[in-house]
Structures are given as C-alpha cells and as structure tokens.
Amino acid sequence: MRIPYRNKLLLKKLLRIFLITLIVCILVFIGVLIYMDANILYDRSGAHISYDKPTHEMDVTEHSDASIELPPPQIIYVDDEQQEMTIAKTGGYYITTSMLQQPDKVLQQLQTITEPCAVLIELKSIYGNFYYSTALGGAQTASIDVRVVDSIIRYLRDNGFYMIASVAAFSDTNFALANQPCGLPLKNGALWMDENNCYWLDPANETVINYLMQIARELSSLGFQEVSFSDFRFPVSSNIYYESDLTGAQIIQAAAQQLTDFFTGSNVTISFSVKDTEFPVAACNGRLYISEVDGSKVERFSQVYGGVGNLKELVFLANSRDTRFDELALLRPLMSQ
C-alpha cells in the first residue's frame, strides 16, 4: 500500500515534533535532578529526598557538591593590650539554643540587666545549624528568626557586655554530610552517628580545623571577645574505623593547640567547654567552661583544673545556690528552660 506524498510530509513533521518534545523533556528532567541533588541522601537502602536533618548512616563513598567554601583563615591582631577581666568578679549569664527558640524573649530579658557582665551564647548547634546570620558559604541557619539573634548580638556589643560565643566543634551533622571525608567513618564506609543522631568530624582533619578557625574569625568580627568550643573530644566507640598512630587524647590535644596557637595575640580568646576532667588543659590559654555540674563535683574540677597556670579562669555553668559555688566564676541561665 502506497502512502500519499502529502501524508509522508505530515508524518515527518509529526516525527520532528515528537523528537523535539522528547529532547526538551530529557533536558527538563536533567535540570530537576541537578536542582534536587542537594536534598538527595544516599544510604544502604537507596536514595531518598530529605529536607530535614538526617537520621540514617550515609555512605561516604558518595559525592556531595554542598561543601562549605572556606577561604584561608585570617585573624585580626590586638593593637592595644585589652583590659583583663574576670568572670569571677563580673558574673553573668549563659544562653542556650533552647532559649533562642524564643529570641524576642531573650532580648527582652537582656534589656532588664542594668550592669554589663559576661554573657555566653550558644550560636551553633550539635547538628551544625547556625543561630545567627553567618556569611560562611553553604552553612545552614536554624529554623528560628536569626535576625532577632543578630539584634541580640548588636545589643550585647553596643552595651558593653563581655561577649562569649559557644560553638559545637566536632559534633556537626551538616558539615559532615557536605564534606564526607571529614567525618568519622564506620568500617563499611558509612559515617558514624552518636546517640543524638549526629555525625562527628575528624579532629585531625585540616579542613575541619580550618572550618573552626573561620567560625571563630567571623564571630570575632561580630564583636565576640571569646569563642568557647564545646563537644571538643574524640568520641569513644568501637564502631569508629580510624587508623592513627596517635591516641584520641593526643589528637584532641593537637587540635586544641593548633587553634590556640593560631589565635594567640589576636583580639579573640579561644576557650573550651567540657563536661569531664579529661580535656588536655595544657593546650588552652583561655578559659575552661564546666557545664552540667552540681555542687558535689565542684571540688573535683577545681582540684584538676584550678591550679593550672596557663588557664585564664575556670568557669562553672550552673543554676544553683549551692554555697560551694561561692567565690567561683559562675554563669547562670538567663531564662528557665
């Protein structure tokens, strides 16, 4: 059966339209895949789309393009010797990320303080969420109104408070997922996760140390005189697959020393927040902040850390009227939690 010439032309035209439509669809599909790539998580059960913090182990052999851009860290050196202050004399308060869920109330409470004092404020969570308007490329902010926290920072700076930023160091899910070679791995290649469903960073990794330096430098530019790193330890777990000639304690000491040395002589003091007496205090010339401590443990911490000459001060974070805290450097919660 012969097909009329006019019908042949029509079929060719329809075929061209079909091919063009198919190509456009393929291009759109590829574009959607690229757009969604940042929200696709890969694990042993396959690929999943997620907009929340991860709750599954991730295979570190997969590649992520969401890495945070880190320029070489720089510091600003002090021109004039800063006047030494002690928290034991000024006293002060601490502000947690839980309190910052209501940043307006935090600001209102700060405005009732009549005399400037020391204020420690947690500005990065264990998941890696920033509680202020960070300029670090790729960093994620918490699901609160960070503009109000920015106002809190300005209020503290403009009214003469001694400003201390508390930053979760090696517990950082966001950075570990975006920079998977920086995480602590399992033997099967997945990232190790703690009981809080958090991924941890390798304290010996130079990218990780550079990341912490960038955070401290940024906070210094916002007016903070001190940055205290919490979760500054090597997790104890038989599931972590880590090969090194150094012990976990030695790795932590080297990391603390590197940060301390880098900022020595600058306009920001590097301190650490601890919950036990295992921290290598010789690597710190700032303050040690002791959290989750009651009066019965004061003497033990004071014996271990109190006589260390290189420490500026030993500071307790406590909501207690226990007389064993008398004469000690103490920060109390700004608000009930």
Side-chain angles (χ1 to χ4, degrees):
M1 179 178 178
R2 298 181 60 184
I3 301 176
Y5 179 75
R6 182 177 298 178
N7 290 347
K8 287 183 179 180
L9 291 178
L10 180 60
L11 288 174
K12 288 181 179 180
K13 184 177 181 180
L14 291 175
L15 181 60
R16 282 198 298 268
I17 294 173
F18 173 78
L19 291 175
I20 292 172
T21 303
L22 180 61
I23 292 172
V24 170
C25 291
I26 291 173
L27 292 175
V28 171
F29 180 74
I30 293 173
V32 171
L33 285 181
I34 294 173
Y35 177 79
M36 294 298 295
D37 182 68
N39 296 309
I40 297 177
L41 299 182
Y42 301 90
D43 57 27
R44 290 189 297 274
S45 61
H48 311 276
I49 296 177
S50 174
Y51 298 97
D52 302 315
K53 65 178 184 289
T55 56
H56 302 286
E57 297 167 353
M58 174 170 284
D59 187 348
V60 298
T61 60
E62 296 292 336
H63 175 71
S64 172
D65 294 323
S67 58
I68 295 178
E69 299 175 1
L70 298 175
Q74 299 177 8
I75 55 176
I76 303 172
Y77 287 94
V78 180
D79 295 327
D80 300 315
E81 185 176 354
Q82 293 181 347
Q83 183 177 2
E84 187 67 22
M85 59 79 63
T86 63
I87 293 177
K89 292 181 180 179
T90 66
Y93 302 91
Y94 66 86
I95 301 168
T96 65
T97 53
S98 295
M99 298 178 195
L100 289 178
Q101 299 301 315
Q102 298 177 299
D104 292 296
K105 290 187 176 181
V106 170
L107 181 57
Q108 292 171 8
Q109 189 65 28
L110 284 172
Q111 291 169 343
T112 65
I113 300 174
T114 57
E115 293 293 333
C117 58
V119 174
L120 180 148
I121 178 170
E122 294 181 357
L123 290 176
K124 186 172 82 71
S125 74
I126 58 176
Y127 298 105
N129 295 321
F130 287 76
Y131 279 72
Y132 66 98
S133 298
T134 177
L136 288 177
Q140 299 182 38
T141 54
S143 57
I144 63 166
D145 191 347
V146 295
R147 293 172 300 178
V148 181
V149 180
D150 295 340
S151 298
I152 291 173
I153 294 173
R154 286 194 297 271
Y155 181 82
L156 293 173
R157 183 180 63 236
D158 295 344
N159 289 276
F161 288 86
Y162 183 76
M163 300 166 60
I164 311 152
S166 178
V167 173
F170 300 127
S171 173
D172 192 319
T173 291
N174 293 339
F175 193 86
L177 289 178
N179 302 269
Q180 295 173 29
C182 295
L184 293 178
L186 300 171
K187 192 170 184 178
N188 64 4
L191 292 179
W192 178 81
M193 177 185 290
D194 67 10
E195 65 278 4
N196 294 316
N197 293 332
C198 287
Y199 295 136
W200 282 64
L201 306 177
D202 179 3
N205 187 289
E206 285 299 317
T207 299
V208 172
I209 298 300
N210 186 41
Y211 171 55
L212 299 182
M213 288 177 177
Q214 291 295 336
I215 295 172
R217 175 174 174 254
E218 180 177 64
L219 291 168
S220 172
S221 71
L222 295 177
F224 285 91
Q225 295 101 320
E226 191 170 339
V227 175
S228 174
F229 289 107
S230 61
D231 292 299
F232 205 92
R233 58 187 175 87
F234 199 105
V236 178
S237 173
S238 59
N239 295 323
I240 297 175
Y241 183 71
Y242 194 91
E243 294 182 346
S244 175
D245 295 332
L246 302 177
T247 65
Q250 290 171 328
I251 291 172
I252 288 299
Q253 180 165 354
Q257 193 67 61
Q258 190 172 351
L259 287 169
T260 295
D261 291 345
F262 186 84
F263 286 98
T264 296
S266 74
N267 62 346
V268 61
T269 297
I270 298 299
S271 299
F272 300 92
S273 176
V274 301
K275 298 178 182 178
D276 54 43
T277 56
E278 302 299 320
F279 183 79
V281 69
C284 176
N285 59 17
R287 291 180 173 84
L288 274 191
Y289 293 89
I290 314 298
S291 59
E292 299 182 11
V293 63
D294 56 39
S296 64
K297 301 177 183 178
V298 168
E299 185 176 356
R300 180 166 63 91
F301 279 96
S302 297
Q303 287 176 346
V304 174
Y305 294 129
V308 180
N310 53 288
L311 277 183
K312 282 189 175 183
E313 207 169 9
L314 185 65
V315 183
F316 293 92
L317 308 183
N319 184 20
S320 173
R321 300 298 175 183
D322 194 310
T323 57
R324 285 172 288 193
F325 285 107
D326 291 351
E327 308 302 323
L328 297 173
L330 183 67
L331 296 178
R332 301 187 184 279
L334 181 70
M335 298 163 48
S336 58
Q337 301 183 70

